[in-house]
Amino acid sequence: GYFFSVWRKCIWSSHDLSDIVFIDNYIFNKDVFIQFNSTVGKYVGYTELGVYNAQLYNNNTGRLQSERAQVDICKQNADIYQQTITDKS
């Protein structure tokens, strides 16, 4: 059988969330074949299919804007998590 999944992650280490990064991985049979990283600001392909799709996705300005906007959503959610955690400690 085949295995396909999408993993979306928000990663940060600073308390002010200034270093937050949004990563959107597309995985086929346990290998990442294409990834959007907000630090890079575009899709990067890691396989032949991934490179092909990255070109298509990077030429779609609406899709890129949507992915780039995910950083703001990450910041909103991370701020809520951070406040909850610091209130408890």
Side-chain angles (χ1 to χ4, degrees), residues 51-77:
V51 170
Y52 175 79
N53 284 326
Q55 277 186 319
L56 291 176
Y57 296 169
N58 288 330
N59 288 329
N60 183 335
T61 55
R63 185 173 187 138
L64 276 181
Q65 286 176 342
S66 176
E67 289 284 39
R68 291 174 181 154
Q70 291 296 320
V71 174
D72 294 329
I73 295 169
C74 283
K75 283 184 181 179
Q76 292 170 2
N77 291 333

PDB file of all heavy atoms in Angstrom, residues 51-77:
ATOM      1  N   VAL A  51       9.705  18.524  -6.958  1.00  0.00           N
ATOM      2  CA  VAL A  51      10.222  19.684  -7.706  1.00  0.00           C
ATOM      3  C   VAL A  51       9.171  20.174  -8.688  1.00  0.00           C
ATOM      4  O   VAL A  51       8.931  21.379  -8.818  1.00  0.00           O
ATOM      5  CB  VAL A  51      11.546  19.324  -8.427  1.00  0.00           C
ATOM      6  CG1 VAL A  51      11.964  20.414  -9.392  1.00  0.00           C
ATOM      7  CG2 VAL A  51      12.643  19.059  -7.395  1.00  0.00           C
ATOM      8  N   TYR A  52       8.506  19.243  -9.362  1.00  0.00           N
ATOM      9  CA  TYR A  52       7.452  19.598 -10.307  1.00  0.00           C
ATOM     10  C   TYR A  52       6.321  20.340  -9.602  1.00  0.00           C
ATOM     11  O   TYR A  52       5.882  21.408 -10.041  1.00  0.00           O
ATOM     12  CB  TYR A  52       6.930  18.332 -10.998  1.00  0.00           C
ATOM     13  CG  TYR A  52       5.757  18.585 -11.911  1.00  0.00           C
ATOM     14  CD1 TYR A  52       5.956  19.108 -13.193  1.00  0.00           C
ATOM     15  CD2 TYR A  52       4.460  18.317 -11.495  1.00  0.00           C
ATOM     16  CE1 TYR A  52       4.875  19.351 -14.032  1.00  0.00           C
ATOM     17  CE2 TYR A  52       3.372  18.558 -12.328  1.00  0.00           C
ATOM     18  CZ  TYR A  52       3.595  19.077 -13.599  1.00  0.00           C
ATOM     19  OH  TYR A  52       2.524  19.328 -14.422  1.00  0.00           O
ATOM     20  N   ASN A  53       5.848  19.772  -8.471  1.00  0.00           N
ATOM     21  CA  ASN A  53       4.760  20.406  -7.728  1.00  0.00           C
ATOM     22  C   ASN A  53       5.193  21.735  -7.127  1.00  0.00           C
ATOM     23  O   ASN A  53       4.404  22.678  -7.077  1.00  0.00           O
ATOM     24  CB  ASN A  53       4.238  19.477  -6.641  1.00  0.00           C
ATOM     25  CG  ASN A  53       3.369  18.373  -7.199  1.00  0.00           C
ATOM     26  OD1 ASN A  53       2.649  18.569  -8.168  1.00  0.00           O
ATOM     27  ND2 ASN A  53       3.449  17.204  -6.612  1.00  0.00           N
ATOM     28  N   ALA A  54       6.421  21.836  -6.654  1.00  0.00           N
ATOM     29  CA  ALA A  54       6.923  23.088  -6.078  1.00  0.00           C
ATOM     30  C   ALA A  54       6.859  24.202  -7.121  1.00  0.00           C
ATOM     31  O   ALA A  54       6.470  25.331  -6.802  1.00  0.00           O
ATOM     32  CB  ALA A  54       8.346  22.909  -5.565  1.00  0.00           C
ATOM     33  N   GLN A  55       7.218  23.901  -8.352  1.00  0.00           N
ATOM     34  CA  GLN A  55       7.138  24.900  -9.422  1.00  0.00           C
ATOM     35  C   GLN A  55       5.698  25.366  -9.612  1.00  0.00           C
ATOM     36  O   GLN A  55       5.428  26.560  -9.719  1.00  0.00           O
ATOM     37  CB  GLN A  55       7.669  24.341 -10.738  1.00  0.00           C
ATOM     38  CG  GLN A  55       9.156  24.402 -10.881  1.00  0.00           C
ATOM     39  CD  GLN A  55       9.576  23.951 -12.279  1.00  0.00           C
ATOM     40  OE1 GLN A  55       9.033  22.992 -12.829  1.00  0.00           O
ATOM     41  NE2 GLN A  55      10.545  24.648 -12.844  1.00  0.00           N
ATOM     42  N   LEU A  56       4.770  24.414  -9.653  1.00  0.00           N
ATOM     43  CA  LEU A  56       3.353  24.762  -9.824  1.00  0.00           C
ATOM     44  C   LEU A  56       2.861  25.599  -8.654  1.00  0.00           C
ATOM     45  O   LEU A  56       2.205  26.625  -8.849  1.00  0.00           O
ATOM     46  CB  LEU A  56       2.505  23.499  -9.941  1.00  0.00           C
ATOM     47  CG  LEU A  56       2.661  22.653 -11.191  1.00  0.00           C
ATOM     48  CD1 LEU A  56       1.810  21.396 -11.087  1.00  0.00           C
ATOM     49  CD2 LEU A  56       2.273  23.450 -12.426  1.00  0.00           C
ATOM     50  N   TYR A  57       3.158  25.168  -7.439  1.00  0.00           N
ATOM     51  CA  TYR A  57       2.675  25.860  -6.241  1.00  0.00           C
ATOM     52  C   TYR A  57       3.295  27.244  -6.110  1.00  0.00           C
ATOM     53  O   TYR A  57       2.630  28.199  -5.697  1.00  0.00           O
ATOM     54  CB  TYR A  57       2.974  25.050  -4.983  1.00  0.00           C
ATOM     55  CG  TYR A  57       2.265  23.707  -4.891  1.00  0.00           C
ATOM     56  CD1 TYR A  57       2.625  22.790  -3.916  1.00  0.00           C
ATOM     57  CD2 TYR A  57       1.237  23.344  -5.764  1.00  0.00           C
ATOM     58  CE1 TYR A  57       1.991  21.562  -3.808  1.00  0.00           C
ATOM     59  CE2 TYR A  57       0.602  22.121  -5.667  1.00  0.00           C
ATOM     60  CZ  TYR A  57       0.984  21.233  -4.684  1.00  0.00           C
ATOM     61  OH  TYR A  57       0.354  20.021  -4.580  1.00  0.00           O
ATOM     62  N   ASN A  58       4.571  27.377  -6.435  1.00  0.00           N
ATOM     63  CA  ASN A  58       5.249  28.670  -6.324  1.00  0.00           C
ATOM     64  C   ASN A  58       4.755  29.670  -7.362  1.00  0.00           C
ATOM     65  O   ASN A  58       4.866  30.883  -7.158  1.00  0.00           O
ATOM     66  CB  ASN A  58       6.764  28.504  -6.424  1.00  0.00           C
ATOM     67  CG  ASN A  58       7.344  27.855  -5.186  1.00  0.00           C
ATOM     68  OD1 ASN A  58       6.819  27.998  -4.089  1.00  0.00           O
ATOM     69  ND2 ASN A  58       8.419  27.122  -5.366  1.00  0.00           N
ATOM     70  N   ASN A  59       4.206  29.187  -8.474  1.00  0.00           N
ATOM     71  CA  ASN A  59       3.640  30.072  -9.489  1.00  0.00           C
ATOM     72  C   ASN A  59       2.202  30.468  -9.177  1.00  0.00           C
ATOM     73  O   ASN A  59       1.634  31.323  -9.846  1.00  0.00           O
ATOM     74  CB  ASN A  59       3.714  29.421 -10.874  1.00  0.00           C
ATOM     75  CG  ASN A  59       5.134  29.378 -11.391  1.00  0.00           C
ATOM     76  OD1 ASN A  59       5.947  30.257 -11.079  1.00  0.00           O
ATOM     77  ND2 ASN A  59       5.459  28.356 -12.163  1.00  0.00           N
ATOM     78  N   ASN A  60       1.621  29.866  -8.154  1.00  0.00           N
ATOM     79  CA  ASN A  60       0.250  30.160  -7.738  1.00  0.00           C
ATOM     80  C   ASN A  60       0.330  31.166  -6.586  1.00  0.00           C
ATOM     81  O   ASN A  60       0.504  30.786  -5.423  1.00  0.00           O
ATOM     82  CB  ASN A  60      -0.439  28.867  -7.306  1.00  0.00           C
ATOM     83  CG  ASN A  60      -1.879  29.066  -6.919  1.00  0.00           C
ATOM     84  OD1 ASN A  60      -2.287  30.159  -6.523  1.00  0.00           O
ATOM     85  ND2 ASN A  60      -2.657  27.999  -7.015  1.00  0.00           N
ATOM     86  N   THR A  61       0.196  32.455  -6.896  1.00  0.00           N
ATOM     87  CA  THR A  61       0.377  33.503  -5.881  1.00  0.00           C
ATOM     88  C   THR A  61      -0.645  33.393  -4.752  1.00  0.00           C
ATOM     89  O   THR A  61      -0.324  33.680  -3.600  1.00  0.00           O
ATOM     90  CB  THR A  61       0.318  34.906  -6.512  1.00  0.00           C
ATOM     91  OG1 THR A  61      -0.907  35.046  -7.232  1.00  0.00           O
ATOM     92  CG2 THR A  61       1.489  35.136  -7.443  1.00  0.00           C
ATOM     93  N   GLY A  62      -1.842  32.969  -5.052  1.00  0.00           N
ATOM     94  CA  GLY A  62      -2.865  32.806  -4.017  1.00  0.00           C
ATOM     95  C   GLY A  62      -2.474  31.736  -3.010  1.00  0.00           C
ATOM     96  O   GLY A  62      -2.646  31.912  -1.800  1.00  0.00           O
ATOM     97  N   ARG A  63      -1.947  30.644  -3.502  1.00  0.00           N
ATOM     98  CA  ARG A  63      -1.519  29.555  -2.619  1.00  0.00           C
ATOM     99  C   ARG A  63      -0.349  30.001  -1.745  1.00  0.00           C
ATOM    100  O   ARG A  63      -0.303  29.718  -0.546  1.00  0.00           O
ATOM    101  CB  ARG A  63      -1.148  28.327  -3.435  1.00  0.00           C
ATOM    102  CG  ARG A  63      -0.819  27.137  -2.571  1.00  0.00           C
ATOM    103  CD  ARG A  63      -0.606  25.876  -3.384  1.00  0.00           C
ATOM    104  NE  ARG A  63      -0.471  24.770  -2.465  1.00  0.00           N
ATOM    105  CZ  ARG A  63      -1.019  23.602  -2.623  1.00  0.00           C
ATOM    106  NH1 ARG A  63      -1.764  23.371  -3.676  1.00  0.00           N
ATOM    107  NH2 ARG A  63      -0.829  22.646  -1.744  1.00  0.00           N
ATOM    108  N   LEU A  64       0.610  30.711  -2.348  1.00  0.00           N
ATOM    109  CA  LEU A  64       1.765  31.201  -1.575  1.00  0.00           C
ATOM    110  C   LEU A  64       1.331  32.191  -0.498  1.00  0.00           C
ATOM    111  O   LEU A  64       1.812  32.134   0.636  1.00  0.00           O
ATOM    112  CB  LEU A  64       2.793  31.862  -2.495  1.00  0.00           C
ATOM    113  CG  LEU A  64       3.787  30.945  -3.194  1.00  0.00           C
ATOM    114  CD1 LEU A  64       4.748  31.762  -4.046  1.00  0.00           C
ATOM    115  CD2 LEU A  64       4.554  30.098  -2.209  1.00  0.00           C
ATOM    116  N   GLN A  65       0.435  33.094  -0.846  1.00  0.00           N
ATOM    117  CA  GLN A  65      -0.061  34.059   0.142  1.00  0.00           C
ATOM    118  C   GLN A  65      -0.750  33.345   1.300  1.00  0.00           C
ATOM    119  O   GLN A  65      -0.585  33.719   2.463  1.00  0.00           O
ATOM    120  CB  GLN A  65      -1.027  35.051  -0.506  1.00  0.00           C
ATOM    121  CG  GLN A  65      -0.350  36.078  -1.367  1.00  0.00           C
ATOM    122  CD  GLN A  65      -1.359  36.988  -2.065  1.00  0.00           C
ATOM    123  OE1 GLN A  65      -2.545  36.669  -2.168  1.00  0.00           O
ATOM    124  NE2 GLN A  65      -0.885  38.119  -2.544  1.00  0.00           N
ATOM    125  N   SER A  66      -1.517  32.323   0.997  1.00  0.00           N
ATOM    126  CA  SER A  66      -2.205  31.556   2.019  1.00  0.00           C
ATOM    127  C   SER A  66      -1.213  30.871   2.958  1.00  0.00           C
ATOM    128  O   SER A  66      -1.382  30.895   4.183  1.00  0.00           O
ATOM    129  CB  SER A  66      -3.108  30.518   1.362  1.00  0.00           C
ATOM    130  OG  SER A  66      -3.719  29.706   2.318  1.00  0.00           O
ATOM    131  N   GLU A  67      -0.171  30.272   2.400  1.00  0.00           N
ATOM    132  CA  GLU A  67       0.842  29.603   3.223  1.00  0.00           C
ATOM    133  C   GLU A  67       1.602  30.617   4.073  1.00  0.00           C
ATOM    134  O   GLU A  67       1.857  30.375   5.246  1.00  0.00           O
ATOM    135  CB  GLU A  67       1.823  28.822   2.351  1.00  0.00           C
ATOM    136  CG  GLU A  67       1.236  27.587   1.717  1.00  0.00           C
ATOM    137  CD  GLU A  67       1.081  26.421   2.676  1.00  0.00           C
ATOM    138  OE1 GLU A  67       0.721  26.620   3.851  1.00  0.00           O
ATOM    139  OE2 GLU A  67       1.317  25.288   2.242  1.00  0.00           O
ATOM    140  N   ARG A  68       1.952  31.741   3.484  1.00  0.00           N
ATOM    141  CA  ARG A  68       2.686  32.771   4.226  1.00  0.00           C
ATOM    142  C   ARG A  68       1.842  33.338   5.363  1.00  0.00           C
ATOM    143  O   ARG A  68       2.364  33.702   6.413  1.00  0.00           O
ATOM    144  CB  ARG A  68       3.147  33.875   3.287  1.00  0.00           C
ATOM    145  CG  ARG A  68       4.234  33.404   2.339  1.00  0.00           C
ATOM    146  CD  ARG A  68       4.592  34.448   1.313  1.00  0.00           C
ATOM    147  NE  ARG A  68       5.616  33.960   0.409  1.00  0.00           N
ATOM    148  CZ  ARG A  68       5.792  34.388  -0.833  1.00  0.00           C
ATOM    149  NH1 ARG A  68       4.995  35.336  -1.317  1.00  0.00           N
ATOM    150  NH2 ARG A  68       6.745  33.885  -1.585  1.00  0.00           N
ATOM    151  N   ALA A  69       0.531  33.389   5.175  1.00  0.00           N
ATOM    152  CA  ALA A  69      -0.372  33.906   6.206  1.00  0.00           C
ATOM    153  C   ALA A  69      -0.475  32.959   7.399  1.00  0.00           C
ATOM    154  O   ALA A  69      -0.878  33.380   8.488  1.00  0.00           O
ATOM    155  CB  ALA A  69      -1.752  34.150   5.610  1.00  0.00           C
ATOM    156  N   GLN A  70      -0.093  31.709   7.221  1.00  0.00           N
ATOM    157  CA  GLN A  70      -0.148  30.747   8.313  1.00  0.00           C
ATOM    158  C   GLN A  70       0.754  31.134   9.478  1.00  0.00           C
ATOM    159  O   GLN A  70       0.509  30.758  10.622  1.00  0.00           O
ATOM    160  CB  GLN A  70       0.224  29.340   7.815  1.00  0.00           C
ATOM    161  CG  GLN A  70      -0.788  28.721   6.887  1.00  0.00           C
ATOM    162  CD  GLN A  70      -2.118  28.482   7.567  1.00  0.00           C
ATOM    163  OE1 GLN A  70      -2.192  28.074   8.726  1.00  0.00           O
ATOM    164  NE2 GLN A  70      -3.202  28.737   6.854  1.00  0.00           N
ATOM    165  N   VAL A  71       1.802  31.904   9.209  1.00  0.00           N
ATOM    166  CA  VAL A  71       2.697  32.356  10.280  1.00  0.00           C
ATOM    167  C   VAL A  71       1.918  33.190  11.291  1.00  0.00           C
ATOM    168  O   VAL A  71       2.107  33.043  12.501  1.00  0.00           O
ATOM    169  CB  VAL A  71       3.891  33.158   9.709  1.00  0.00           C
ATOM    170  CG1 VAL A  71       4.734  33.746  10.828  1.00  0.00           C
ATOM    171  CG2 VAL A  71       4.740  32.273   8.825  1.00  0.00           C
ATOM    172  N   ASP A  72       1.019  34.042  10.819  1.00  0.00           N
ATOM    173  CA  ASP A  72       0.212  34.861  11.728  1.00  0.00           C
ATOM    174  C   ASP A  72      -0.707  33.991  12.582  1.00  0.00           C
ATOM    175  O   ASP A  72      -0.901  34.254  13.769  1.00  0.00           O
ATOM    176  CB  ASP A  72      -0.602  35.893  10.945  1.00  0.00           C
ATOM    177  CG  ASP A  72       0.277  36.926  10.266  1.00  0.00           C
ATOM    178  OD1 ASP A  72       1.357  37.227  10.805  1.00  0.00           O
ATOM    179  OD2 ASP A  72      -0.114  37.418   9.190  1.00  0.00           O
ATOM    180  N   ILE A  73      -1.273  32.957  11.982  1.00  0.00           N
ATOM    181  CA  ILE A  73      -2.118  32.033  12.738  1.00  0.00           C
ATOM    182  C   ILE A  73      -1.278  31.295  13.774  1.00  0.00           C
ATOM    183  O   ILE A  73      -1.708  31.107  14.916  1.00  0.00           O
ATOM    184  CB  ILE A  73      -2.845  31.065  11.786  1.00  0.00           C
ATOM    185  CG1 ILE A  73      -3.827  31.846  10.908  1.00  0.00           C
ATOM    186  CG2 ILE A  73      -3.550  29.950  12.555  1.00  0.00           C
ATOM    187  CD1 ILE A  73      -4.414  31.074   9.770  1.00  0.00           C
ATOM    188  N   CYS A  74      -0.070  30.891  13.377  1.00  0.00           N
ATOM    189  CA  CYS A  74       0.849  30.256  14.333  1.00  0.00           C
ATOM    190  C   CYS A  74       1.113  31.177  15.519  1.00  0.00           C
ATOM    191  O   CYS A  74       1.093  30.744  16.671  1.00  0.00           O
ATOM    192  CB  CYS A  74       2.189  29.937  13.668  1.00  0.00           C
ATOM    193  SG  CYS A  74       2.196  28.499  12.606  1.00  0.00           S
ATOM    194  N   LYS A  75       1.366  32.454  15.234  1.00  0.00           N
ATOM    195  CA  LYS A  75       1.668  33.409  16.302  1.00  0.00           C
ATOM    196  C   LYS A  75       0.484  33.559  17.254  1.00  0.00           C
ATOM    197  O   LYS A  75       0.658  33.603  18.475  1.00  0.00           O
ATOM    198  CB  LYS A  75       2.053  34.765  15.722  1.00  0.00           C
ATOM    199  CG  LYS A  75       3.448  34.801  15.177  1.00  0.00           C
ATOM    200  CD  LYS A  75       3.832  36.179  14.696  1.00  0.00           C
ATOM    201  CE  LYS A  75       5.237  36.164  14.129  1.00  0.00           C
ATOM    202  NZ  LYS A  75       5.653  37.452  13.618  1.00  0.00           N
ATOM    203  N   GLN A  76      -0.718  33.631  16.703  1.00  0.00           N
ATOM    204  CA  GLN A  76      -1.904  33.759  17.547  1.00  0.00           C
ATOM    205  C   GLN A  76      -2.058  32.546  18.457  1.00  0.00           C
ATOM    206  O   GLN A  76      -2.283  32.684  19.665  1.00  0.00           O
ATOM    207  CB  GLN A  76      -3.156  33.925  16.685  1.00  0.00           C
ATOM    208  CG  GLN A  76      -3.225  35.226  15.945  1.00  0.00           C
ATOM    209  CD  GLN A  76      -4.351  35.249  14.911  1.00  0.00           C
ATOM    210  OE1 GLN A  76      -5.111  34.285  14.780  1.00  0.00           O
ATOM    211  NE2 GLN A  76      -4.450  36.333  14.168  1.00  0.00           N
ATOM    212  N   ASN A  77      -1.939  31.365  17.888  1.00  0.00           N
ATOM    213  CA  ASN A  77      -2.084  30.136  18.671  1.00  0.00           C
ATOM    214  C   ASN A  77      -0.943  29.968  19.661  1.00  0.00           C
ATOM    215  O   ASN A  77      -1.165  29.579  20.809  1.00  0.00           O
ATOM    216  CB  ASN A  77      -2.180  28.921  17.758  1.00  0.00           C
ATOM    217  CG  ASN A  77      -3.474  28.883  16.975  1.00  0.00           C
ATOM    218  OD1 ASN A  77      -4.487  29.417  17.412  1.00  0.00           O
ATOM    219  ND2 ASN A  77      -3.438  28.278  15.810  1.00  0.00           N
TER     220      ASN A  77
END
